[in-house]
Amino acid sequence: MSQEEIKKTYKVIKNRVETHDTATLDLVFEDGSVPQYKAGQFITIYFPEIGTPEGKAYSISSSPSEKGMSITIKAIGLFSKRLCAMKPGDAFIGSLPYGYFFSESDRTPLVLVAGGIGVTPFRGMILDSFERTPHRKIILFQSCKTVDDIVFKKDFEDLARKHPQFKPIFFVTRQESPDPSHICRRIEVMDIVGKNSPKEKEYFICGSIPFVGDLWKALRKKGVAEEMICTEAFFSH
């Protein structure tokens, strides 16, 4: 039986508000133990009474180095709104952590590209890299509709001050930002590949299906090898 087929009961120990419509749930198993996982993996959550017996997948936003496990959810539909409203002590059924959205290298620079809530797995991956490969260069391109939609903004800015090998760049697509460090347009492929050879980097893209598909095609046209691009796309929850 695969990891995603094994169902466990998760208990919420904390609900943290991230933005006006996004929350992070800190989770343990019902016996109080912490799930074992790799940064970048996800769990499938089941609310069969809502009419989605196959469940919905949510990326883990924490790193194993934090000695806990968290998921971060954007309240979009009935399913995700129910999760965002959960309080400490509430429980739900979910799979064990699974998936392969993580780097197997420890040398190539990491280029992380997030559309909206697609930034969720990158928080854990960044923290995990600081722990395991502290000299590895990481650049994060994070695209959001408005400034208020930028999830983990303060976390990433604080981390960048502490870790010079990490640089977050925020793109705002539907608002003029008063912050001069924000780029008020969509992410373009030349932002991502930069001036150096794109072949020397490992690219991870996470976001909506159109966002991920367009950037994957653009990177391939720029000569990035298929095996150097890892993607994860999602439907709205």
Side-chain angles (χ1 to χ4, degrees), residues 16-19 22-24 59-62 70-73 116-124 126 140 142 144 147-159 166 168 170:
R16 292 179 277 135
V17 174
E18 299 288 353
T19 72
T22 307
T24 293
S59 294
I60 296 168
S61 55
S62 55
S70 306
I71 59 172
T72 301
I73 312 107
I117 196 61
V119 75
T120 299
F122 293 146
R123 181 186 176 277
I126 291 163
L140 169 70
Q142 184 175 355
C144 295
V147 174
D148 290 340
D149 294 320
I150 304 176
V151 183
F152 308 135
K153 182 176 186 292
K154 186 176 184 304
D155 283 358
F156 290 148
E157 289 173 337
D158 289 347
L159 288 171
F166 169 58
F170 304 110

Side-chain angles (χ1 to χ4, degrees), residues 113-120 122 140-145 187 205-208 211-212 215 234:
V113 189
I117 196 61
V119 75
T120 299
F122 293 146
L140 169 70
F141 297 93
Q142 184 175 355
S143 177
C144 295
K145 292 177 182 176
I187 297 172
I205 311 170
C206 187
S208 68
F211 178 88
V212 170
L215 285 174
F234 54 77

Side-chain angles (χ1 to χ4, degrees), residues 56-58 76 117 207-210 233-237:
K56 294 194 175 185
Y58 289 87
I76 301 171
I117 196 61
S208 68
I209 291 172
F234 54 77
F235 293 100
S236 294
H237 288 13

Side-chain angles (χ1 to χ4, degrees), residues 182-196:
H182 295 158
I183 301 173
C184 297
R185 59 171 171 79
R186 294 180 182 277
I187 297 172
E188 297 173 0
V189 69
M190 286 309 297
D191 298 315
I192 301 169
V193 297
K195 296 176 182 177
N196 298 324

Side-chain angles (χ1 to χ4, degrees), residues 6-205:
I6 299 171
K7 294 183 180 179
K8 303 282 286 187
T9 299
Y10 288 86
K11 185 170 65 175
V12 177
I13 55 173
K14 192 172 184 180
N15 181 323
R16 292 179 277 135
V17 174
E18 299 288 353
T19 72
H20 62 101
D21 63 355
T22 307
T24 293
L25 301 181
D26 296 341
L27 305 171
V28 293
F29 288 137
E30 61 180 336
D31 64 1
S33 62
V34 176
Q36 299 296 303
Y37 65 95
K38 290 184 177 181
Q41 290 189 310
F42 48 92
I43 61 172
T44 295
I45 296 172
Y46 301 94
F47 293 140
E49 65 277 16
I50 290 180
T52 50
E54 72 280 6
K56 294 194 175 185
Y58 289 87
S59 294
I60 296 168
S61 55
S62 55
S63 162
S65 63
E66 294 181 282
K67 314 300 182 191
M69 192 183 94
S70 306
I71 59 172
T72 301
I73 312 107
K74 183 179 178 71
I76 301 171
L78 190 62
F79 202 103
S80 53
K81 286 179 179 176
R82 178 168 173 175
L83 277 171
C84 281
M86 285 194 156
K87 299 178 176 63
D90 288 346
F92 60 80
I93 302 298
S95 71
L96 290 173
Y98 67 103
Y100 298 95
F101 194 63
F102 49 81
S103 173
E104 295 184 2
S105 169
D106 58 4
R107 295 181 182 179
T108 52
L110 276 180
V111 180
L112 311 177
V113 189
I117 196 61
V119 75
T120 299
F122 293 146
R123 181 186 176 277
M125 291 166 66
I126 291 163
L127 292 172
D128 190 55
S129 181
F130 292 160
E131 184 77 15
R132 297 189 306 107
T133 54
H135 300 295
R136 190 177 197 182
K137 289 185 178 179
I138 306 173
I139 186 166
L140 169 70
F141 297 93
Q142 184 175 355
S143 177
C144 295
K145 292 177 182 176
T146 72
V147 174
D148 290 340
D149 294 320
I150 304 176
V151 183
F152 308 135
K153 182 176 186 292
K154 186 176 184 304
D155 283 358
F156 290 148
E157 289 173 337
D158 289 347
L159 288 171
R161 281 190 283 271
K162 295 176 186 174
H163 302 273
Q165 75 274 32
F166 169 58
K167 182 179 181 181
I169 302 175
F170 304 110
F171 287 73
V172 179
T173 61
R174 296 190 186 177
Q175 178 189 34
E176 287 299 319
S177 172
D179 188 330
S181 70
H182 295 158
I183 301 173
C184 297
R185 59 171 171 79
R186 294 180 182 277
I187 297 172
E188 297 173 0
V189 69
M190 286 309 297
D191 298 315
I192 301 169
V193 297
K195 296 176 182 177
N196 298 324
S197 170
K199 298 173 185 176
E200 298 170 355
K201 304 168 187 173
E202 198 171 357
Y203 298 84
F204 284 78
I205 311 170

